[in-house]
Amino acid sequence: MFRNRASRSKTPAHELALDCLQAGIEAANPRRAVERHCTLAGDTLRIRTAEYDLSAYDKILVLGGGKAADDLAAALETLLGDRLTDGVVVTHEQTADPDRVAVREGEHPTPADGSVSGATAVLERAAAADAETLVLAAITGGGSALLCAPVPSLSVDDLGAVTDGLLDAGAAIDEVNAVRRACSEIKGGGFAEAAAPATVVGLLVSDVIGDDPAVIASGATVPIDTDPERALAVLDRYGVSAPNVRAWLRDDDPHSAPDIAVDNHVIASGRDAVEAARDVAAEHGYDTCILSTHIDGEASEAGRVHAAIATEISEAGDPISPPAVVLSGGETTVQVTGDGCGGPNLEFALAGALDLPDGAVLGALDTDGSDGSIDAAGALVDGATVTDADIEAARTALEANDSYPFLDGRDALLRTGPTGTNVNDLRVVVVQGQHNFVSGRR
């Protein structure tokens, strides 16, 4: 999985960190999720605890979008076989090639023409469904950008600019999606409304903290009220101008959610990745601790907190005793003030490297294989990644949001390519034992 694993496996601690990260990514793959949570027995499709009688439908479609939508569609096709009629999904950097479901490629994280044409194809196929159709909505992380259907008053450039502005300002994903939802014809249940009167069942791969279906891909299968005032408040909070979007939001009235019943099932999330990583560490005899799957906020600050926990384990054996592995998930953000190259996980790792004790290893990555929009999934660092001579250069890199070249020059980047899943960030800290630690380098 890791294209540069050989050069990153410097010690047993590095090797274990890589094993944990790989296990987490593999556990969150949609194919594995479908195997865990979906079965077909005769005419009965079972998704978690819900059952659907397939004999009641003339057609079964797979429609949706997201970074893992093609892998999810392929897994559903394997499960259903020739019962599946057809479908359309929109993804980014295709990794699966189902026979019956057309795969379109769009842009991420900033939507563009491919995301619009893909969303249009999905909506058109949904609108052709009738009451005898079962629509399996394959919705995964990244779907907000990849399923882009602007309201008539706005263009894809308008939505792209407001998305970039909010992400650069460090807005949380639920805040970004509040704006996207108010400006879209597919989000906030718009997809489900287009498919009515068909039966719509959502199979969701979550990339958001808390796994709220209304936030995953901006709730394409979750009918909710639009809230222009909240969207305007988000723009005000982060100082994003977006004049065309603001004009639309000021003129638009709140809309009640369409009266449509949808079953939504979250079949994979960051919790799956973290638990799989924990199992690997435990199998190797390490004491383990899941710190949280809800870590958010500024990436560099979160990285320093993880380094501080590693120091506490190393020096005092708290909250667990070494050899130990600490794991976390979630989604940190970066308030961009410089013009460098990097992503949240790279900033997390670089900030953590400044304070890691000797013998500790920290790995952080985005499970989709791309940290933001760069060609690295994340980074693997240790107490020697930032030497005494490198401290000022590391601080400067963080201030300029330029973590990529610093870490690349020290053989710390992790490269996987597209992984076929997207369940947020995964982080692992390996502490081998007690070591002397000299503080104050930050």
Side-chain angles (χ1 to χ4, degrees), residues 105-149:
E105 288 202 359
E107 297 81 19
H108 186 280
T110 304
D113 292 341
S115 297
V116 174
S117 64
T120 299
V122 169
L123 286 173
E124 288 177 348
R125 188 66 187 93
D130 57 25
E132 283 70 49
T133 301
L134 173 63
V135 175
L136 300 178
I139 305 295
T140 78
S144 290
L146 293 167
L147 292 172
C148 183

Side-chain angles (χ1 to χ4, degrees), residues 258-349:
D259 185 16
I260 300 170
V262 179
D263 288 347
N264 282 301
H265 306 279
V266 177
I267 62 169
S269 71
R271 168 62 64 172
D272 295 306
V274 170
E275 290 182 349
R278 178 190 60 190
D279 291 345
V280 167
E283 288 169 3
H284 283 75
Y286 281 67
D287 200 359
T288 64
C289 171
I290 295 179
L291 184 63
S292 174
T293 59
H294 292 71
I295 301 292
D296 60 6
E298 189 68 24
S300 60
E301 291 303 317
R304 290 176 179 124
V305 169
H306 281 63
I309 292 169
T311 300
E312 195 70 21
I313 293 171
S314 180
E315 291 185 339
D318 287 322
I320 54 178
S321 300
V325 170
V326 175
L327 299 147
S328 74
E331 183 171 11
T332 59
T333 54
V334 174
Q335 184 174 2
V336 178
T337 57
D339 58 358
C341 178
N345 285 284
L346 268 60
E347 292 214 2
F348 179 102

Side-chain angles (χ1 to χ4, degrees), residues 62-252:
V62 172
L63 303 173
K67 283 193 170 183
D70 52 332
D71 277 79
L72 181 50
L76 292 171
E77 182 177 277
T78 298
L79 176 67
L80 296 170
D82 58 10
R83 291 177 180 269
L84 178 61
T85 307
D86 59 64
V88 183
V89 296
V90 187
T91 192
H92 180 65
E93 296 185 295
Q94 181 177 350
T95 58
D97 189 19
D99 293 328
R100 295 172 179 262
V101 180
V103 179
R104 306 284 293 266
E105 288 202 359
E107 297 81 19
H108 186 280
T110 304
D113 292 341
S115 297
V116 174
S117 64
T120 299
V122 169
L123 286 173
E124 288 177 348
R125 188 66 187 93
D130 57 25
E132 283 70 49
T133 301
L134 173 63
V135 175
L136 300 178
I139 305 295
T140 78
S144 290
L146 293 167
L147 292 172
C148 183
V151 294
S153 298
L154 297 174
S155 69
V156 66
D157 291 338
D158 291 326
L159 296 192
V162 77
T163 299
D164 286 345
L166 288 169
L167 292 176
D168 286 349
I173 191 62
D174 63 312
E175 295 173 311
V176 178
N177 287 353
V179 177
R180 287 165 159 169
R181 219 167 17 237
C183 300
S184 172
E185 296 192 322
I186 197 170
K187 299 171 175 56
F191 167 84
E193 186 175 19
T199 299
V200 178
V201 177
L203 292 97
L204 314 182
V205 175
S206 172
D207 69 334
V208 300
I209 291 174
D211 303 331
D212 183 354
V215 181
I216 301 167
S218 302
T221 59
V222 183
I224 56 177
D225 299 343
T226 62
D227 191 349
E229 288 189 5
R230 185 194 174 198
L232 281 168
V234 170
L235 297 181
D236 289 341
R237 186 176 306 129
Y238 292 98
V240 176
S241 58
N244 291 343
V245 172
R246 284 179 176 272
W248 161 256
L249 294 173
R250 283 193 296 266
D251 292 341
D252 190 32

